[in-house]
């Protein structure tokens, strides 16, 4: 009788142990699944935070950059207007070295060339007027020059230096309100970015300033023509044909049409 009772008891014990093992394993599996889901959720939340934060920072940086750009543009307009008020200076009757100089500007190429006796001496990269504030074209002359120009910004004198939008040199043109000058935005060189004036890098504008005088002619072309093709080709020949001579002659008289101030 004892044997008959003992066998079911052992079987039941084994069954209980097996059932407990199954329950334990199931619980462990559920715990692992829950942990994996929790980690995935946390990573997703972190990922969203990482994605969102730089976008917010980029937006703030862009706003600050736009405000700074607008501030620079307003300063440049004010400085150019004041420089344009400089009186015209008397041109030299004759070049001290006996040479005839001429500046040729290609708006399309964003390049300025200095010619001496019809021969290209040097070319420089420049910034030209943006589409909303285009540069003038035509035959002009240099009417005044200023070294290390300062300007009055709302009662504060901005001295020459990195904060001066005119840079270290100004060469005023006979189209009122326009000139060739340096810049405190050197990254704009080579682009259509100015308010109509022609910006140059510091070394370039100082080099050009040392070579030209009041009364030198400035021929500006918006489109590429024969003159521009010849001047800005790598093997530019002397500009000495009748057409070029006529251009020089017409440019020798200061333009009388004032350009609208920006």
């Amino acid at each position: 009788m004892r044997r008959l009772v003992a066998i079911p008891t052992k079987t039941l014990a084994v069954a209980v142990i097996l059932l407990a093992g199954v329950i334990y394993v199931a619980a462990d599996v559920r715990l692992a699944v829950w942990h994996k889901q929790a980690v995935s959720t946390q990573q997703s939340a972190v990922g969203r935070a990482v994605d969102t934060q730089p976008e917010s920072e980029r937006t703030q940086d862009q706003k600050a950059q736009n405000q700074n750009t607008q501030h620079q543009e307003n300063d440049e307009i004010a400085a150019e207007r004041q420089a344009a008020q400089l009186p015209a200076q008397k041109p030299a009757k004759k070049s001290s070295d006996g040479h005839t100089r001429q500046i040729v500007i290609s708006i399309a190429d964003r390049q300025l060339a200095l010619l001496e006796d019809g021969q290209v001496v040097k070319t420089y990269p420049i910034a030209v007027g943006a589409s909303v504030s285009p540069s003038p074209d035509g035959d002009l002359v240099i009417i005044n020059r200023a070294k290390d120009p300062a300007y009055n910004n709302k009662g504060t004198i901005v001295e020459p230096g990195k904060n001066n939008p005119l840079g270290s040199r100004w060469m005023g043109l006979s189209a009122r309100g326009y000139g060739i000058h340096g810049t405190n935005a050197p990254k704009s060189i080579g682009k259509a970015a100015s308010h109509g004036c022609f910006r140059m890098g510091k070394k370039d504008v100082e080099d050009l300033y040392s070579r030209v005088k009041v009364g030198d002619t400035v021929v500006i072309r918006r489109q590429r023509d024969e003159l521009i093709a010849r001047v800005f080709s790598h093997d530019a020949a002397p500009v000495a044909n009748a057409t070029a001579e006529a251009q020089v002659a017409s440019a020798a008289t200061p333009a009388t049409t004032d350009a609208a101030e920006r």
Side-chain angles (χ1 to χ4, degrees):
M1 189 68 180
R2 289 180 182 176
R3 288 176 128 183
L4 292 176
V5 174
I7 292 174
T9 302
K10 291 181 179 180
T11 301
L12 180 61
V14 171
V16 170
I17 293 172
L18 291 175
L19 180 61
V22 170
I23 294 173
Y24 176 80
V25 171
D28 189 55
V29 169
R30 285 197 300 273
L31 180 62
V33 171
W34 175 84
H35 179 71
K36 183 177 181 180
Q37 290 176 341
V39 170
S40 178
T41 302
Q42 183 178 10
Q43 288 176 342
S44 178
V46 171
R48 288 195 300 270
V50 170
D51 291 340
T52 304
Q53 186 65 25
E55 183 178 355
S56 175
E57 292 178 358
R58 284 196 299 270
T59 301
Q60 293 178 355
D61 290 344
Q62 187 63 45
K63 288 181 179 179
Q65 184 177 357
N66 291 340
Q67 291 176 351
N68 184 53
T69 300
Q70 185 63 46
H71 179 71
Q72 287 182 337
E73 290 178 350
N74 292 337
D75 286 349
E76 183 174 38
I77 292 173
E80 288 173 349
R81 285 178 175 172
Q82 291 178 41
Q85 300 304 315
L86 292 172
Q89 300 166 356
K90 188 176 181 179
K93 292 183 179 180
K94 188 177 181 180
S95 175
S96 59
D97 54 14
H99 295 292
T100 300
R101 287 172 301 274
Q102 182 185 37
I103 291 174
V104 176
I105 295 176
S106 172
I107 294 176
D109 295 294
R110 298 164 192 173
Q111 292 277 322
L112 179 153
L114 174 64
L115 280 64
E116 193 172 271
D117 299 330
Q119 182 67 54
V120 176
V121 176
K122 199 168 184 179
T123 60
Y124 310 86
I126 59 174
V128 300
S131 59
V132 294
S133 53
S135 298
D137 60 354
D139 300 331
L140 310 175
V141 295
I142 295 176
I143 61 171
N144 55 40
R145 305 192 319 152
K147 183 178 180 180
D148 295 330
Y151 83 102
N152 190 319
N153 184 13
K154 299 178 181 179
T156 301
I157 301 299
V158 179
E159 298 293 341
K162 65 179 182 178
N163 295 322
N164 193 312
L166 298 183
S168 59
R169 300 291 187 272
W170 163 269
M171 288 160 275
L173 301 177
S174 51
R176 186 183 177 191
Y178 297 96
I180 303 169
H181 61 78
T183 181
N184 60 348
K187 291 183 179 180
S188 68
I189 302 300
K191 301 177 182 178
S194 78
H195 303 95
C197 287
F198 302 100
R199 300 176 185 170
M200 299 181 70
K202 185 176 188 300
K203 291 183 179 179
D204 287 345
V205 75
E206 291 178 359
D207 180 69
L208 180 66
Y209 185 93
S210 69
R211 297 171 182 265
V212 300
K213 306 295 181 184
V214 171
D216 286 349
T217 61
V218 181
V219 177
I220 306 171
R221 295 289 181 265
R222 190 172 305 282
Q223 304 296 332
R224 296 183 180 91
D225 57 13
E226 183 181 354
L227 174 64
I228 295 301
R230 295 184 62 186
V231 168
F232 293 97
S233 65
H234 294 293
D235 53 349
V239 181
N241 56 32
T243 302
E245 289 176 355
Q247 290 170 338
V248 173
S250 64
T253 302
T256 57
T257 303
D258 290 344
E261 291 185 353
R262 282 112 32 242

